[in-house]
Amino acid sequence: MLFPSVSLVLLAPAIAAAALGSNDHVQVQQPLTSEFSKIPSLGFGTWNLDQSNVSEAVSAALHTGYRHIDCATVYGNQKAVGKGIAHGLKSLNLHRSDIWVTSKLWNDHHDPSLVEEALTQTLHDLGLAYLDLWLMHWPVGNAPDTGKSQLDYLQAWYAMEDIHKTGRVRNIGLSNFSPAQLEDIIDHSDTLPSVHQFEVHPYLPQSGWIEFQQELGISVTAYSPFANTNPTYKSGKDDPPFLLINLDMLAVAAKNGCTTAQVALAWGMSRGYSVIPKSSHVDHIKENFGALDCQLDLEDLDRIDDISEKYLKRFNNPSKDYGVKLFDGLEDA
């Protein structure tokens, strides 16, 4: 797959594949362009968590060993996430600097005059003085006069750059951008995005797109690492089987004494990016963390890589809802 040439000197070599080790240490993904560059490869996602126990789930994740929490304004649960973070830090005698927290700017605050307000509200809701990473959630903003969705990101990015200089966010990045949109950001601003977060799993491996960004020094975070296991993604009759019961995934899991969830996460981390599974259940939170002990060999990785040759599917594409073309130039756009 070919991607646009970027008029920028490459800043760093490709990120080395994450070494999967014991639960006694935090997985670190490098490099980030900022001096604050310690994003753990295994994170805890908070999208669509059961609203009745968000705080308990976040605290349980920290007690399990996660040191990377991913959240967003639009998830509508940042106050509860913040309570979970506060409880976890206090009960574990950890400092704020011991964990990595990501949040995201929502589409209704892309107007440059509203960007700082959005961050202030996020920090207030989370009970934090700063974010380790702030992402622009989509390259889509709401038109100020009609509220209609439109491609709108450069001016918001400039406002994020200004805020970055204040130290209230340690890194800034993107989510769900296309190659052309990423090039637009790089060519027309002073700050290389530290991280790009988008959908990646064995049904949507996006290998070329990931490698392209890693070569630029942009770290990648994969959301929906379990693909269509997320109940938000309505399954159609032509969709692939649920990833966690895919026969190839089951075979690799059985061979290695892992669960299919652990295999999916270990596969992702082996490719050099961070993954952010989510669960409201303590047993699953612990199971997912066990991916750090799931050792896959090259034969296993190749077998998982081949899954997309039969099933290639993007599950999160709100192009019709927004009335704009998203993911142009990418797999199953």
Side-chain angles (χ1 to χ4, degrees):
M1 182 180 296
L2 297 177
F3 295 104
S5 60
V6 178
S7 55
L8 185 73
V9 176
L10 298 185
L11 299 180
I15 300 170
L20 303 182
S22 73
N23 293 3
D24 296 331
H25 63 276
V26 174
Q27 295 293 303
V28 176
Q29 170 175 290
Q30 295 184 9
L32 292 177
T33 55
S34 166
E35 61 181 305
F36 305 101
S37 56
K38 294 185 182 297
I39 178 171
S41 292
L42 182 58
F44 183 72
T46 60
W47 179 39
N48 276 356
L49 285 182
D50 184 337
Q51 291 291 340
S52 68
N53 75 334
V54 171
S55 300
E56 291 83 355
V58 170
S59 181
L62 292 174
H63 276 265
T64 300
Y66 294 83
R67 295 296 180 262
H68 172 185
I69 307 296
D70 181 88
C71 44
T73 297
V74 75
Y75 301 167
N77 59 9
Q78 289 195 132
K79 288 184 179 180
V81 170
K83 290 179 181 178
I85 290 173
H87 180 271
L89 293 181
K90 182 177 181 180
S91 57
L92 289 166
N93 197 27
L94 294 174
H95 301 290
R96 167 65 183 90
S97 59
D98 292 325
I99 67 170
W100 178 284
V101 180
T102 296
S103 189
K104 308 174 190 75
L105 173 71
W106 187 239
N107 306 353
D108 60 359
H109 276 67
H110 278 211
D111 185 307
S113 67
L114 300 177
V115 172
E116 186 168 11
E117 172 188 295
L119 175 65
T120 297
Q121 187 64 53
T122 283
L123 292 175
H124 177 267
D125 289 347
L126 291 170
L128 301 177
Y130 69 90
L131 293 175
D132 297 278
L133 174 63
W134 199 30
L135 304 175
M136 192 182 306
H137 209 145
W138 293 92
V140 175
N142 297 342
D145 50 346
T146 65
K148 184 178 179 180
S149 296
Q150 60 185 12
L151 291 175
D152 171 25
Y153 49 87
L154 273 178
Q155 296 303 316
W157 181 253
Y158 297 151
M160 291 175 70
E161 284 186 301
D162 290 339
I163 292 172
H164 180 227
K165 297 171 185 175
T166 70
R168 299 176 75 201
V169 293
R170 299 289 178 85
N171 299 275
I172 56 175
L174 308 171
S175 183
N176 300 304
F177 274 55
S178 72
Q181 292 158 355
L182 174 61
E183 181 177 26
D184 205 16
I185 289 284
I186 293 174
D187 284 351
H188 296 96
S189 67
D190 297 325
T191 307
L192 184 75
S194 293
V195 177
H196 191 184
Q197 182 179 130
F198 48 90
E199 181 182 351
V200 187
H201 43 72
Y203 291 150
L204 191 72
Q206 305 209 78
S207 301
W209 183 216
I210 292 168
E211 292 168 6
F212 174 79
Q213 291 171 92
Q214 290 174 338
E215 289 171 358
L216 290 175
I218 300 172
S219 298
V220 170
T221 295
Y223 69 71
S224 296
F226 301 148
N228 52 346
T229 304
N230 191 316
T232 302
Y233 303 142
K234 305 298 183 183
S235 294
K237 63 179 181 179
D238 296 326
D239 283 348
F242 291 123
L243 180 67
L244 299 190
I245 59 171
N246 176 283
L247 293 179
D248 289 299
M249 297 291 290
L250 288 167
V252 172
K255 171 188 169 184
N256 292 283
C258 304
T259 67
T260 49
Q262 291 168 345
V263 167
L265 298 174
W267 172 80
M269 289 186 286
S270 77
R271 303 171 83 215
Y273 52 75
S274 56
V275 292
I276 47 172
K278 60 96 177 175
S279 179
S280 297
H281 304 287
V282 173
D283 288 348
H284 290 159
I285 290 170
K286 292 180 177 179
E287 174 191 341
N288 293 341
F289 194 75
L292 296 175
D293 287 329
C294 183
Q295 304 282 348
L296 304 181
D297 60 27
L298 289 178
E299 180 182 353
D300 299 326
L301 298 174
D302 288 343
R303 183 167 185 172
I304 298 170
D305 288 344
D306 290 343
I307 289 175
S308 64
E309 294 184 7
K310 182 176 182 181
Y311 303 111
L312 181 65
K313 178 70 175 181
R314 181 184 299 276
F315 294 98
N316 188 25
N317 188 348
S319 293
K320 291 182 179 178
D321 294 337
Y322 290 152
V324 299
K325 174 69 172 175
L326 298 168
F327 308 118
D328 193 32
L330 296 174
E331 293 174 346
D332 197 33

